[in-house]
Amino acid sequence: MAVPLSTYRLQITAGFDLDAAASIVGYLHDLGGDWIYLSPLLQAEGGSDHGYDVVDHSLVDPARGGAEALARLATAAHRAGRGVLVDIVPNHVGVATPRHNSWWWDLLKNGQQSRYAEAFDVDWAFGHGKIRLPILGDDTGGDAEGDDSEHGAGLREVDRLELVDGELRYFDNRFPIAAGTADDGASPAEVHERQHYELVNWRRADAELNYRRFFAVNSLAGIRVEVPWVFEESHREILRWVREGLVQGLRVDHPDGLADPAGYLEALRLATNGAYVLVEKILEGPEQLPTSWATAGTTGYDALADVDRVLVDPVGRDTLDALESHLNGDPAVTWAQLVYRNKRDVTDGILHSEVRRIARLVPNGDEPDTSAHTDTTVAALSELLAWFPVYRSYLPLGVENLQEAARHSAAHRPDLAAELDRLLPLLGDQGHPAAVRFQQTSGMVMAKGVEDRAYYRFSRLTSLNEVGADPDEFAVSVAEFHDRQRTRQAGFPHSMTTLSTHDTKRGEDVRARISVLAEIPTEWEATLEQLRAAHPLGDAPFENLLWQAVIGAWPAGRDRLAAYALKAAREAGTSTTWTSQNTEFETNLDDLVTAATEPGPTRDLVNRLVSLVQPAGWSNSLSLKLLQLTMPGVPDVYQGSELWETSLVDPDNRRPVDFERRRGLLARIDSGWLPPVDETGAAKLLVTSRALRLRRDRAGLFTRYAPVPVFGAAAGHAVAFDRGGAITVATRLPIGLLAGGGWGDTTIGVAKRGYIDVLTRESFDGPNLCVADLLARYPVALLVPAEENPTFTHTPTGRHA
């Protein structure tokens, strides 16, 4: 199995297609990258900028360049000694435009007789033999009878249907017509009644949908990849890439949605002859990836959480906790309670149809089949899902998580104890349909309740509110950080590490700056009070979250901040929502962003705080980057993040990247320029390129993990480790370091030999290295034994297979 030494993630779109990616292979090689890591490539919905809404498994998306462009990119990458890793989507397909997805179109046309009925996860009995599509708007009231206007008042939405060119149409939505159902002059509404699908009001999706989705996205329908022919047909093109040597590795999107993730990964291993495979898996707290899975590891959210937290000052927790309690007006609310409440909102709201689907798989036993009985089962399932401590179990693995959820549920709802006792054996039986469905659903509830809701309602220190992380874990000690890296090195040494992705809520350098607030919590509280007084929104926790984003991403243009603010407010759902907008609140929110970005007292206040935290934020950024690039695992660099990455949540983090600017700065660095730590971000490019090149060209220096001892009064401000010859030294808590008088006599203990810092080219002699000298220019250093003396030439290594 070929294993990358690092990856560089590119978002392939119509605007930056596969040929555009091929054009920067030389730059990525010069940067030090090993494999090129591509977003999904199969044909997606028209205009998709992410590619996770696949509509045709047989084609490389023509909008992204097509199969020929993939071949050209692979050739360019291999000639430069680079491999190719591609993101694949086994769990779901895009169905927003049925005509574009032949599987879905055939299903709608032929219903249960469709060849593809087995491919989709549809509860036909619940839909009375039809698949429900939540498309229709709200009726305007009354009966349309007697109204001879085309779209007159009182029309039912179903009466807006039209028959055009052998299709049923609702505005721009087009649907197939089953054979023989429109040949007798029937009205469009009557034809609709004869179809294998039922167009229903969009509001019915929450409780009455009967097909499995990706989370709560109606336009992404789950497929049953556990069925052998579905796997074969949905992976035929992907496997061709691997078989023909175009692609060396695969990244599996959302395996938690699959009925049998372990079985799927084993099938993928056999089909690819053991190619390098990663899974996009979120681990909660001490949770470990199942060692039985045929995967090299995760996509790195667990590593992201470790690196962020080792740079957070634990001393700031009490003040920020008190501020959070004050803003919420309820000091008793804990993170765990907030998570529970939000997950229950989801089970009772946007994913209620999924919970009811599980309930329909549970036998009633001797009880009569009544709505009261069903309601009890639904309530018990909702409690279990809301208290489930991780994303899902993989029975028999993880049954203890089900038992923990049951204990919490029974304690919280004693009236459900008997039903919980009845459900537990069924949900713990890996062969029971209800258990399979429960496992697929628990991850949805976690994602929607926590990532897309609680993360926007918990404002204590928002750099911790990141995908795959636990915001309740405030900081990690250096000793704990070392323990976690030793575990990673021992268990999954080829797992990915990352700092920014297309899914992160805040770019790495936004988080690095926000984390500084833990060092100055009193100053932050005072500034926030002034900002809130000037622009009150009536939603104190959200205001805290929003102003932290402004500070973290500054300077950001008005349009970017306004888009983020609106999305964040609607995701939080406390003052406005996606489906029920509060116009007054959203107007005030827009005015706030205008005041923050236009000349005036508000922008002055923002600038004053930014000037205080910016240097420390840059220090954190360089430390984050060097730690991530040199710690155990395969480091990924998200597109453009070799300079400051100040993006906010998607789609902001998918903006085009100026590679020409990066080429120019890298050429200057390679000519001998040591850039200052400033707005350009060139210092980060220096750190990134030197670390990546060292990992690629001196892989033997990264074969183990051992903490390096630090001595002296400022020892707590350093993180140092030895990877088997390469030694990383990084600064933490820079404001406290400066307030304490700097490094003073602090030293690190190394072997008695000469060393070179590959960042500055300066030489140092062991065994005791003075940290003040070592970090005189940059807050980080990357040391190698003097005899290694890397020159970082750009000769291709030839490693790609």
Side-chain angles (χ1 to χ4, degrees):
M1 177 179 69
V3 176
L5 297 170
S6 68
T7 59
Y8 190 100
R9 168 84 177 202
L10 292 170
Q11 294 296 117
I12 305 300
T13 66
F16 186 87
D17 62 13
L18 289 161
D19 283 318
S23 74
I24 65 165
V25 165
Y27 164 72
L28 298 182
H29 170 65
D30 291 347
L31 183 67
D34 193 19
W35 285 18
I36 299 170
Y37 169 22
L38 306 175
S39 60
L41 300 180
L42 294 175
Q43 184 166 359
E45 285 279 359
S48 172
D49 69 347
H50 51 76
Y52 290 97
D53 43 3
V54 173
V55 297
D56 190 337
H57 292 101
S58 68
L59 293 175
V60 177
D61 198 335
R64 289 168 166 78
E68 295 79 8
L70 175 59
R72 290 191 290 270
L73 170 60
T75 297
H78 298 162
R79 283 175 179 168
R82 313 278 68 84
V84 178
L85 174 72
V86 178
D87 198 341
I88 63 172
V89 191
N91 175 68
H92 54 269
V93 294
V95 297
T97 312
R99 173 55 89 179
H100 294 167
N101 188 324
S102 62
W103 290 22
W104 188 250
W105 186 265
D106 194 85
L107 178 78
L108 298 185
K109 184 174 183 177
N110 298 305
Q112 296 178 72
Q113 302 307 309
S114 168
R115 175 175 183 265
Y116 298 100
E118 188 181 24
F120 292 95
D121 199 345
V122 181
D123 185 348
W124 295 100
F126 181 63
H128 305 292
K130 297 176 182 280
I131 183 168
R132 289 178 178 156
L133 305 179
I135 298 293
L136 302 180
D138 295 333
D139 291 339
T140 55
D143 193 333
E145 201 171 322
D147 186 347
D148 57 4
S149 65
E150 183 181 1
H151 298 303
L155 264 175
R156 298 175 304 156
E157 285 301 293
V158 73
D159 292 312
R160 297 184 187 274
L161 295 174
E162 298 177 311
L163 290 172
V164 181
D165 296 334
E167 296 174 349
L168 198 62
R169 296 191 180 181
Y170 176 70
F171 296 101
D172 292 334
N173 298 282
R174 301 164 56 187
F175 304 96
I177 295 175
T181 60
D183 300 333
D184 58 356
S187 70
E190 291 171 324
V191 170
H192 167 250
E193 291 176 355
R194 302 169 181 174
Q195 302 311 307
H196 298 288
Y197 54 85
E198 178 187 9
L199 304 182
V200 300
N201 181 269
W202 65 274
R203 299 179 192 276
R204 293 176 63 183
D206 287 358
E208 299 179 49
L209 213 62
N210 65 332
Y211 65 93
R212 181 170 62 87
R213 303 165 287 174
F214 171 74
F215 296 162
V217 184
N218 298 334
S219 60
L220 296 175
I223 59 172
R224 301 180 64 233
V225 76
E226 67 273 15
V227 177
W229 75 261
V230 177
F231 176 91
E232 195 278 329
E233 292 194 21
S234 62
H235 286 67
R236 185 177 296 151
E237 175 66 4
I238 294 167
L239 297 178
R240 179 185 73 82
W241 305 339
V242 178
R243 185 178 64 252
E244 295 181 5
L246 300 171
V247 168
Q248 285 65 55
L250 301 172
R251 179 263 200 195
V252 176
D253 180 69
H254 189 50
D256 281 351
L258 305 179
D260 180 13
Y264 168 79
L265 290 170
E266 180 61 18
L268 195 62
R269 183 189 70 81
L270 294 172
T272 62
N273 196 28
Y276 180 75
V277 170
L278 294 169
V279 291
E280 186 220 13
K281 168 61 188 169
I282 293 175
L283 301 170
E284 289 289 314
E287 183 186 12
Q288 293 292 308
L289 196 66
T291 56
S292 57
W293 281 12
T295 178
T298 74
T299 51
Y301 293 126
D302 44 334
L304 178 155
D306 292 347
V307 179
D308 276 350
R309 279 157 180 73
V310 78
L311 301 182
V312 171
D313 189 351
V315 174
R317 176 168 188 162
D318 288 346
T319 301
L320 293 177
D321 274 346
L323 175 60
E324 179 76 359
S325 295
H326 170 69
L327 296 175
N328 275 288
D330 186 354
V333 175
T334 65
W335 168 250
Q337 291 168 325
L338 180 65
V339 167
Y340 166 77
R341 291 179 185 178
N342 282 283
K343 290 174 74 175
R344 271 312 305 257
D345 284 348
V346 167
T347 60
D348 294 344
I350 59 174
L351 290 179
H352 195 57
S353 60
E354 304 293 341
V355 182
R356 296 185 69 83
R357 174 77 181 273
I358 304 170
R360 293 195 295 273
L361 296 171
V362 174
N364 288 336
D366 296 330
E367 297 290 332
D369 188 7
T370 64
S371 60
H373 177 84
T374 300
D375 289 346
T376 300
T377 302
V378 168
L381 288 167
S382 295
E383 285 291 314
L384 289 168
L385 290 164
W387 286 113
F388 208 76
V390 295
Y391 272 69
R392 65 165 285 172
S393 57
Y394 309 93
L395 296 173
L397 299 175
V399 70
E400 70 279 0
N401 293 312
L402 179 63
Q403 294 164 346
E404 179 184 340
R407 288 193 296 271
H408 284 293
S409 299
H412 187 253
R413 289 286 304 273
D415 58 309
L416 296 174
E419 184 67 5
L420 291 165
D421 286 343
R422 186 177 79 92
L423 288 174
L424 212 55
L426 301 178
L427 299 180
D429 176 2
Q430 65 188 95
H432 197 286
V436 174
R437 190 71 181 195
F438 184 91
Q439 291 176 97
Q440 290 177 285
T441 304
S442 63
M444 299 186 202
V445 174
M446 179 75 86
K448 298 306 296 181
V450 179
E451 291 177 38
D452 293 344
R453 186 165 297 191
Y455 277 3
Y456 290 95
R457 296 184 178 184
F458 189 65
S459 64
R460 178 180 63 182
L461 187 68
T462 58
S463 58
L464 306 179
N465 297 12
E466 197 46 84
V467 178
D470 179 3
D472 203 31
E473 182 177 54
F474 190 81
V476 166
S477 69
V478 175
E480 175 65 18
F481 177 82
H482 288 319
D483 285 346
R484 294 183 184 185
Q485 303 327 304
R486 282 186 288 232
T487 298
R488 179 173 286 106
Q489 175 71 16
F492 289 93
H494 302 309
S495 187
M496 184 176 279
T497 69
T498 192
L499 290 180
S500 297
T501 76
H502 59 287
D503 279 333
T504 41
K505 305 297 185 185
R506 298 160 189 82
E508 60 204 58
D509 300 313
V510 176
R511 301 197 310 274
R513 188 183 294 174
I514 291 173
S515 290
V516 177
L517 301 181
E519 292 199 73
I520 56 163
T522 302
E523 291 89 336
W524 170 241
E525 184 174 15
T527 301
L528 178 64
E529 184 178 354
Q530 292 177 271
L531 291 167
R532 291 187 57 232
H535 304 283
L537 294 177
D539 188 338
F542 178 74
E543 292 169 59
N544 189 16
L545 178 141
L546 177 60
W547 284 115
Q548 287 182 45
V550 172
I551 298 299
W554 198 259
R558 187 197 178 283
D559 290 347
R560 286 183 57 213
L561 287 178
Y564 171 77
L566 187 60
K567 177 171 182 174
R570 290 178 177 176
E571 291 283 8
T574 47
S575 295
T576 188
T577 70
W578 292 106
T579 56
S580 181
Q581 288 100 40
N582 181 332
T583 303
E584 181 181 1
F585 177 87
E586 292 187 0
T587 298
N588 292 337
L589 184 63
D590 195 65
D591 291 342
L592 179 154
V593 173
T594 298
T597 53
E598 293 185 353
T602 300
R603 193 171 77 170
D604 291 343
L605 189 57
V606 170
N607 277 325
R608 280 198 295 273
L609 187 70
V610 169
S611 67
L612 175 61
V613 299
Q614 187 176 64
W618 286 337
S619 175
N620 279 350
S621 289
L622 296 181
S623 291
L624 276 176
K625 202 66 175 178
L626 187 62
L627 291 171
Q628 181 251 337
L629 292 175
T630 59
M631 68 197 288
V634 175
D636 175 57
V637 176
Y638 184 67
Q639 60 176 29
S641 66
E642 61 269 35
L643 296 183
W644 301 137
E645 171 52 274
T646 58
S647 295
L648 294 164
V649 74
D650 66 277
D652 192 53
N653 56 20
R654 296 170 185 164
R655 289 172 294 144
V657 176
D658 185 348
F659 286 106
E660 285 306 309
R661 177 168 176 255
R662 287 159 175 79
R663 285 184 205 265
L665 288 172
L666 184 59
R668 288 186 64 192
I669 290 169
D670 285 342
S671 71
W673 176 50
L674 290 180
V677 182
D678 63 9
E679 293 86 352
T680 67
K684 189 181 182 191
L685 180 59
L686 167 73
V687 170
T688 302
S689 61
R690 294 298 186 261
L692 286 178
R693 291 177 188 177
L694 189 66
R695 288 204 72 150
R696 183 188 67 194
D697 301 337
R698 300 289 192 277
L701 299 176
F702 295 87
T703 57
R704 65 174 187 180
Y705 186 91
V708 171
V710 186
F711 307 99
H717 290 277
V719 185
F721 52 77
D722 184 339
R723 290 301 321 282
I727 296 175
T728 291
V729 184
T731 301
R732 63 190 295 267
L733 317 184
I735 287 183
L737 174 65
L738 184 63
W743 292 109
D745 63 354
T746 304
T747 61
I748 64 171
V750 295
K752 188 176 182 180
R753 65 198 304 180
Y755 293 89
I756 294 174
D757 179 5
V758 302
L759 305 180
T760 64
R761 311 301 301 163
E762 294 179 298
S763 298
F764 302 91
D765 292 321
N768 297 304
L769 302 184
C770 175
V771 177
D773 293 339
L774 189 63
L775 304 184
R777 181 181 289 271
Y778 297 118
V780 293
L782 180 56
L783 304 175
V784 296
E787 58 268 24
E788 291 285 344
N789 193 19
T791 58
F792 297 126
T793 58
H794 303 321
T795 304
T797 64
R799 286 189 66 265
H800 67 269

